[in-house]
Amino acid sequence: MSLASQTPPAPAPARGGFLKGFALSMGVVALILAAAMGGALDDIAGAAAQARPHAPDLARLTQLPPVIQVHLYTALAALALGGVLMAVRKGRAFHRVAGWVWVALVSVTAGSTLFITSLNHGSWSFIHLFTGWTLIILPLAVLWARRREVARHRRAMMGLFYGGFAINLIIAFIPGRTMWSLFFG
Ligand code: HEM
């Protein structure tokens, strides 16, 4: 019998770990949202009750404060490019070049929010927790890539993309917020 046939098969990689983590973090975010919004829930319910779905009112985009426009356009670009990066084969020239572009877009998306305080009347709001998290994890994810710590790099970037962008895209449509009014206000 050959040595290869005696070697026990490697254990199958744990499946669903990422999804479980994602579901857990979504739950935590939902709890934070519910706790942080308190009285605002009535306003949200009021805005939702008056929803009038319509084609996006692009004229309103140009009337937004410049810093919100910068945030919104870089966020949407990072969302699209991030989707491509998640799908393509990793480690090739495209991944490296587009990866740097993505890092630049995310830096501006997160950095611009330090100057947006519309939800909490002039102060940072609970959503700024995402900003702090992004500004810490993003440079670490780059560092891990440069050190060839692939698993850590992958986890961090997936966390930023799914945990940061997917959640922010959803909560950007909370009734009363800008995205909501573009489509439903
Ligand atoms: C495609 C994804 C995203 C969209 C469509 C989006 C959209 C917006 C818009 C329109 C605003 C202006 C405030 C308002 O809603 O009236 C805003 C504010 C903000 N966004 Fe995003 N955003 C996205 C991604 C992100 C990400 C990834 C982060 C975190 C790194 C983030 C953090 C924030 C913060 C902290 C504010 C300021 C909220 C406040 O006024 O207190 N957003 N976003």
Side-chain angles (χ1 to χ4, degrees), residues 27-74:
V28 171
V29 168
L31 282 177
I32 293 173
L33 277 175
M37 291 185 138
L41 287 177
D42 285 347
D43 298 345
I44 293 171
Q50 291 170 15
R52 286 179 294 108
H54 53 76
D57 186 351
L58 299 181
R60 282 199 208 175
L61 280 180
T62 57
Q63 291 157 9
L64 292 172
V67 69
I68 294 189
Q69 292 194 38
V70 167
H71 173 69
L72 183 57
Y73 299 144
T74 54

Side-chain angles (χ1 to χ4, degrees), residues 71 113 116-119 125 128 130-131 134 168-169 177-178:
H71 173 69
T113 65
I116 305 175
T117 52
S118 45
L119 293 187
S125 64
H128 285 90
F130 284 103
T131 302
T134 302
N168 269 288
L169 181 62
R177 288 192 67 184
T178 301

Side-chain angles (χ1 to χ4, degrees), residues 6 21 26 47 49-50 106 112 115 125 135 139 147 161 166 168 180:
Q6 292 171 8
M26 288 290 274
Q50 291 170 15
V106 175
S112 59
F115 308 96
S125 64
L135 294 176
R147 287 188 182 163
F161 184 69
N168 269 288
W180 165 270

